[in-house]
């Protein structure tokens, strides 16, 4: 049994991160034959991508995926810790699974992994109040799933294996991708920024960049398999390469990935602090690097940004924002904003609204501050009242939504290249994303799925566009 430990999770060792290849023992290859699994994913794209790996590993063991947990022999929850509501959802699901185990399927095997498994408090609760959860493993050892699961099947007692010291980088984990046209590609794991509100540096560990050769090889294979789009993933992609003992940066990586010929490259998330002029040049220069930047600001108050540990001010953020807008033609920019950080006064919030009025974001994810276990901000005394947070969120949303619609209205009549992703819930309509990452619906034949086609915007809505195919 190995339990999470926040002291170890905070430590950033100078040890070199080692690269290992995934291996699966032959004698495990049939432990899932004849059995069904249900996997539920919470959280960000990184978790979604981890789930693509988890699914492929389970299928190598013989398990078959089902979409209803009532029919499953194994249920795995890949969890998220970012805000309280992510926690509540996972614990709510555990409640439903307990009921299934008690009523219809006493042999059900339940596992929990992902970011919540890295939390001391959560694992304590699982050990004492959820003893029926069969196994728990963290974000650093997802490649160990076959082994931990096998132990859980054999031992008949709760198995917990959570590393708090970051693991090695494991290459060659199989992957069952959610799409045949677009793919997530990890480029950097972990985060060293320690923004004071954020639990990610504890749950994902030290910043570790994947070897560029492994990344380029993965994208080359995707190109061969007919993929049209990759999204390069990391909590802070701009820090890519900073942990190498040679000079190779995010700019170099974007250029090398661009040379693979993959038609569309997105990347996320960019921390404003590490965003270089060179990056801006590469985005504007490489045709297959898409003109879309997710640039989380979190707050428009320099005082709050300082308390958040974000390492930029309102002014320096705006300078960067305007530079990107000015130098990348047609660029669209989105953001994340938190309201109600401890000590946020009305004046600070008005600074945020003022920044939003300037930036007129194409999209924004807005959140109420949620205190997270063991983070610096959670220990601050002057927490903001829930009612004040709610009220600020509503005011913020009405401003950001106004600009989504205004920006979209300006696009009516313009033609965009769109990767057709599938059939939308509305009958006969296809949907996809523009090169500027705008969701667009249009009529067309399903044979176009997976193609990049030109679509003209005919109507603007707040969160999407309606278009028609340009022949
Ligand atoms: N690495 C990314 C963000 C990852 S988390 C970055 O630095 O920009 C995604 C978003 O969740 C953050 O941008 C932030 O807006 C929000 N978030 C993180 N911790 C939070 C907390 N404790 N309460 C509310 N929102 C939070
Ligand atoms: Fe969290 Fe900050 Fe790291 Fe983003 S950069 S993951 S907000 S600590
Ligand atoms: Fe959540 Fe972990 Fe992602 S906390 S947002 S799943 S890195």
């Amino acid at each position: 049994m190995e339990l999470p430990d926040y002291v170890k999770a905070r430590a950033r060792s100078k040890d070199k991160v080692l690269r290992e290849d995934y291996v699966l023992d032959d004698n495990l290859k049939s432990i899932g034959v004849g059995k069904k699994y249900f996997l539920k994913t919470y959280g960000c794209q990184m978790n979604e991508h981890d789930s693509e790996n988890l699914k492929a590993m389970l299928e190598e063991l013989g398990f078959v995926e089902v979409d209803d947990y009532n029919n499953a022999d194994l249920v795995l929850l890949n969890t998220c810790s970012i805000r309280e509501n992510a926690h509540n959802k996972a614990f709510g699901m555990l409640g439903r699974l307990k009921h299934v185990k008690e009523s219809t399927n006493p042999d059900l095997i339940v596992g929990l992994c992902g970011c919540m498994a890295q939390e001391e408090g959560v694992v304590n609760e699982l050990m004492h109040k959820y003893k029926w959860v069969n196994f728990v493993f963290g974000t650093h050892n997802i490649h160990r799933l076959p082994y931990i699961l096998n132990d859980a099947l054999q031992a008949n007692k709760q198995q917990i294996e959570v590393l708090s010291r970051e693991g090695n980088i494991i290459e060659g984990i199989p992957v069952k991708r959610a799409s045949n046209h677009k793919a997530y590609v990890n480029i950097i794991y972990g985060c060293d920024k320690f923004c004071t509100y954020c639990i990610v540096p504890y749950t994902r560990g030290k910043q570790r960049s994947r070897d560029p050769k492994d990344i380029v090889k993965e994208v080359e294979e995707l190109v061969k398999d007919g993929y049209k789009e990759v999204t390069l993933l990391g909590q802070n992609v701009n820090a890519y390469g900073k942990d190498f003992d040679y000079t190779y940066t995010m700019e170099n990586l974007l250029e090398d990935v661009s040379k693979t010929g993959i038609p569309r490259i997105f990347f996320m998330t960019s921390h404003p602090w590490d965003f270089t002029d060179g990056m801006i040049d590469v985005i504007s220069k490489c045709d297959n690097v898409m003109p879309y930047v997710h640039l989380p600001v979190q707050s428009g108050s320099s005082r709050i940004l300082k308390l958040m540990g974000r390492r930029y001010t309102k002014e320096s953020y705006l300078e960067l924002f305007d530079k990107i807008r000015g130098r990348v033609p047609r660029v669209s920019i989105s953001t994340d904003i938190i309201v109600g950080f401890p000590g946020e006064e009305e004046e600070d919030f008005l600074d945020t609204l003022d920044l939003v009025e300037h930036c007129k974001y194409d999209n924004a994810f807005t959140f109420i501050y949620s205190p997270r276990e063991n983070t610096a901000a959670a220990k601050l005394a002057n927490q903001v009242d829930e009612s004040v947070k709610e009220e600020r969120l509503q005011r913020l949303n009405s401003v950001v939504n106004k600009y989504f619609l205004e920006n979209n209205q300006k696009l009516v009549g313009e033609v965009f290249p769109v990767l057709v992703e599938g059939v939308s819930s509305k009958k006969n309509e296809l949907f996809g994303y523009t090169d500027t990452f705008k969701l667009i619906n249009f009529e067309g034949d399903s044979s176009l799925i997976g193609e990049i086609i030109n679509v003209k915007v005919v109507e603007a809505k707040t969160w999407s566009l309606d278009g028609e195919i340009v022949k």
Side-chain angles (χ1 to χ4, degrees):
M1 179 148 41
E2 195 159 350
L3 303 178
D5 174 334
Y6 281 139
V7 176
K8 284 196 208 150
R10 190 179 172 89
R12 290 297 186 259
S13 72
K14 292 262 182 283
D15 301 354
K16 199 169 154 50
V17 174
L18 299 174
R19 180 195 176 289
E20 248 182 72
D21 284 313
Y22 172 76
V23 273
L24 178 62
D25 276 4
D26 279 344
N27 58 2
L28 294 184
K29 283 188 180 153
S30 56
I31 62 170
V33 171
K35 293 185 186 147
K36 292 172 272 186
Y37 78 93
F38 172 83
L39 190 149
K40 172 98 184 139
T41 312
Y42 304 86
C44 63
Q45 290 93 342
M46 247 150 288
N47 248 21
E48 280 175 35
H49 187 40
D50 283 350
S51 285
E52 294 181 330
N53 289 132
L54 296 166
K55 285 182 180 184
M57 282 187 277
L58 289 173
E59 295 187 12
E60 269 196 354
L61 304 178
F63 286 93
V64 174
E65 186 173 11
V66 289
D67 58 9
D68 178 359
Y69 61 87
N70 290 299
N71 290 333
D73 303 290
L74 164 70
V75 174
L76 183 56
L77 306 183
N78 189 10
T79 60
C80 168
S81 313
I82 202 81
R83 284 170 290 275
E84 186 65 35
N85 57 359
H87 256 230
N88 295 344
K89 280 188 204 155
F91 275 112
M93 185 67 187
L94 283 179
R96 290 192 287 282
L97 293 172
K98 184 169 188 229
H99 177 73
V100 173
K101 230 170 157 156
E102 284 172 350
S103 57
T104 53
N105 186 2
D107 297 328
L108 179 68
I109 299 285
V110 176
L112 185 142
C113 64
C115 287
M116 279 170 67
Q118 297 290 146
E119 288 186 68
E120 288 179 2
V122 169
V123 172
N124 247 323
E125 205 166 335
L126 293 174
M127 281 167 66
H128 297 108
K129 296 198 205 134
Y130 295 78
K131 289 197 176 106
W132 54 271
V133 170
N134 303 78
F135 65 104
V136 180
F137 62 98
T139 58
H140 298 306
N141 54 347
I142 67 167
H143 63 291
R144 294 265 310 145
L145 166 65
Y147 301 88
I148 298 162
L149 172 58
N150 189 45
D151 290 348
L153 291 169
Q154 310 266 324
N156 209 12
K157 104 175 203 287
Q158 195 174 55
Q159 300 291 315
I160 301 181
E161 188 182 298
V162 179
L163 312 179
S164 291
R165 193 194 172 287
E166 72 290 343
N168 294 337
I169 289 183
I170 316 294
E171 292 295 340
I173 304 182
V175 56
K176 181 189 181 191
R177 298 199 186 268
S179 158
N180 295 326
H181 329 295
K182 55 182 219 169
Y184 289 133
V185 174
N186 282 325
I187 63 167
I188 179 167
Y189 301 97
C191 179
D192 287 350
K193 286 282 185 287
F194 287 100
C195 302
T196 57
Y197 51 81
C198 184
I199 199 165
V200 171
Y202 298 93
T203 64
R204 295 271 166 174
K206 183 170 97 170
Q207 210 161 270
R208 288 109 65 213
S209 305
R210 255 181 102 190
D211 189 318
K213 290 194 280 301
D214 289 322
I215 298 168
V216 169
K217 193 170 128 222
E218 183 173 344
V219 179
E220 282 170 351
E221 274 161 20
L222 289 164
V223 173
K224 263 191 232 144
D225 292 343
Y227 278 79
K228 301 282 166 53
E229 179 182 304
V230 291
T231 302
L232 308 178
L233 290 182
Q235 285 302 346
N236 174 16
V237 291
N238 306 20
Y240 179 80
K242 290 194 172 179
D243 51 326
F244 292 154
D245 49 17
Y246 54 96
T247 306
Y248 188 93
T249 63
M250 184 60 182
E251 291 158 47
N252 303 126
L253 182 72
L254 276 176
E255 280 187 308
D256 284 343
V257 172
S258 168
K259 285 181 203 147
T260 64
I262 187 94
R264 316 212 310 174
I265 302 164
F266 289 102
F267 55 91
M268 64 172 31
T269 295
S270 296
H271 189 298
W273 193 60
D274 293 313
F275 212 107
T276 60
D277 282 5
M279 284 264 305
I280 303 178
D281 291 341
V282 173
I283 305 167
S284 37
K285 191 174 75 184
C286 300
D287 287 344
N288 53 354
V289 177
M290 297 293 100
Y292 167 67
V293 179
H294 184 58
L295 197 68
V297 66
Q298 314 301 0
S299 168
S301 154
S302 296
R303 189 178 76 85
I304 295 294
L305 286 169
K306 190 155 192 224
L307 291 172
M308 287 177 161
R310 289 291 287 184
R311 311 171 198 214
Y312 53 83
T313 59
K314 179 185 186 187
E315 291 70 31
S316 64
Y317 178 90
L318 288 175
E319 198 183 308
L320 173 66
F321 181 96
D322 289 342
K323 203 163 21 170
I324 298 174
R325 265 272 148 86
R327 296 212 337 226
V328 183
R330 302 173 46 249
V331 72
S332 92
I333 305 181
S334 59
T335 202
D336 293 342
I337 301 171
I338 298 175
V339 296
F341 183 85
E344 184 187 75
E345 303 284 346
E346 176 66 14
E347 201 184 314
D348 299 302
F349 177 65
L350 291 176
D351 271 339
T352 299
L353 290 185
D354 180 63
L355 177 130
V356 167
E357 294 284 351
H358 176 95
C359 295
K360 304 181 172 62
Y361 291 105
D362 288 287
N363 204 352
F365 301 91
T366 55
F367 307 107
I368 283 182
Y369 167 73
S370 170
R372 305 319 294 133
E373 184 179 89
N374 196 49
T375 57
K379 295 169 195 153
L380 295 174
N382 43 0
Q383 301 286 326
V384 176
D385 260 18
E386 271 325 296
S387 59
V388 175
K389 291 184 190 171
E390 299 272 354
E391 187 252 353
R392 286 184 189 157
L393 184 71
Q394 278 184 18
R395 281 159 71 198
L396 175 63
N397 282 345
S398 68
V399 180
V400 290
N401 293 350
K402 179 182 84 180
Y403 287 117
F404 303 163
L405 182 62
E406 264 187 42
N407 289 340
N408 282 348
Q409 280 165 339
K410 287 187 198 140
L411 304 178
V412 173
E414 277 190 39
V415 175
F416 287 91
V418 171
L419 172 59
V420 186
E421 288 196 13
V423 180
S424 68
S425 42
K426 269 202 259 166
K427 229 175 103 204
N428 263 344
E429 288 235 302
L430 298 175
F431 75 95
Y433 285 85
T434 65
D435 57 345
T436 53
F437 209 61
K438 300 246 177 196
L439 176 62
I440 185 159
N441 295 292
F442 47 95
E443 276 184 21
D445 192 85
S446 60
S447 62
L448 292 170
I449 294 171
E451 301 293 320
I452 296 172
I453 59 170
N454 284 328
V455 181
K456 184 169 150 187
V457 179
V458 291
E459 202 185 324
K461 297 181 176 154
T462 302
W463 286 284
S464 67
L465 303 166
D466 285 338
E468 60 190 27
I469 296 176
V470 179
K471 295 265 188 284

